[in-house]
Amino acid sequence: MTGFDAGAAAQVLLAARRSARPADSLTPPPGDTAAAYAVQEAVLAGLGDPGGLWKMALLGGADRECAVLPGATLVQSGARLAVPADARIEVETAILLAADPGPDAAEDDILRAIAAVHLAFELVAPRLAPQAELPPLARMADSFNSAGVVLGSRLAEPPSDRLGIELELDGKPVATTEAAAPLADALDFLRWLSGHARRQGRDLKAGDVIITGARIGPLPLNGARHARATAAGACVELRLADG
């Protein structure tokens, strides 16, 4: 894209990550998805991080896209994580891969490529401001605001459309509405992601983790210091500190 420098945009985001303070919006913003993906890759290069963590997302709430996230932002359940004061929390499921399913895989092959499905938290916090005025491609360049993923235990059964998730903040139940997330949609997205990752030169592999979208949230933490969610025999917990 003429006039857009993915490396310079990545430096803005890297500075925001290191200072834990939002930066001004990217000027100019990426003009297409290729430019937004180039920024994601440049951020990983600047962090010296190999990736291996993926986020399924919808650009502008409609178009299937994704983000390759720093693998270092994945922590295990029970970890203590520093997050910005304005961070929000989502309850999701996370797919742990046993293999790359391939972009033309049949549903049974995709299922065999999944080692397990885990309950997970995602923390979201923008690194660009003002958020209300950001174009969708700038949010995408900023990894769709992902600020950390917490991997909980594996679901006892294959995920259903709704899991009956129960969320607590500081030991108090949170009234929530759980969005339906059909397994077929996640499998189709995984097939798409396999082809996309190959085009980016980073094939999916055993051990990769893919978060599949919010079933609950994003919700404000309101100063909470402990988050816990349970569903389908699985649990995920997080202890929070100021960012």
Side-chain angles (χ1 to χ4, degrees):
M1 171 187 171
T2 302
F4 182 76
D5 185 335
Q11 289 302 314
V12 172
L13 292 170
L14 287 165
R17 285 177 179 270
R18 290 164 182 149
S19 68
R21 291 191 300 272
D24 291 338
S25 183
L26 303 179
T27 304
D32 54 29
T33 58
Y37 283 126
V39 177
Q40 293 179 15
E41 290 287 347
V43 167
L44 286 186
L47 293 171
D49 192 293
L53 177 62
W54 297 85
K55 174 184 173 78
M56 296 180 178
L58 295 174
L59 179 63
D63 298 325
R64 178 181 292 178
E65 298 295 347
C66 70
V68 56
L69 307 176
T73 63
L74 177 68
V75 299
Q76 299 299 311
S77 183
R80 184 177 180 87
L81 191 64
V83 297
D86 62 349
R88 293 175 173 250
I89 194 167
E90 298 178 349
V91 188
E92 310 195 14
T93 52
I95 294 170
L96 175 65
L97 285 185
D100 182 353
D104 301 313
E107 185 171 300
D108 285 348
D109 295 325
I110 301 173
L111 288 169
R112 281 191 289 271
I114 296 174
V117 181
H118 294 246
L119 199 61
F121 285 140
E122 183 186 14
L123 282 302
V124 292
R127 281 165 288 269
L128 296 171
Q131 191 67 187
E133 299 175 13
L134 285 180
L137 284 166
R139 297 172 193 259
M140 180 179 166
D142 185 24
S143 302
F144 294 100
N145 296 345
S146 184
V149 176
V150 185
L151 191 67
S153 55
R154 63 188 297 171
L155 302 180
E157 299 176 356
S160 54
D161 288 7
R162 288 186 173 87
L163 299 174
I165 297 169
E166 295 182 0
L167 174 65
E168 295 179 353
L169 293 178
D170 286 343
K172 297 177 181 179
V174 178
T176 62
T177 299
E178 182 181 346
L183 178 60
D185 290 353
L187 297 182
D188 189 48
F189 213 137
L190 187 54
R191 182 189 294 114
W192 173 89
L193 181 60
S194 177
H196 167 82
R198 291 183 181 193
R199 290 190 294 274
Q200 275 196 240
R202 45 171 76 246
D203 295 11
L204 299 181
K205 61 187 183 304
D208 279 3
V209 172
I210 301 109
I211 53 173
T212 60
R215 289 174 177 259
I216 289 176
L219 299 174
L221 288 162
N222 294 325
R225 288 294 178 264
H226 180 251
R228 183 176 188 269
T230 56
C235 176
V236 59
E237 293 190 69
L238 173 65
R239 301 193 180 278
L240 296 129
D242 292 331

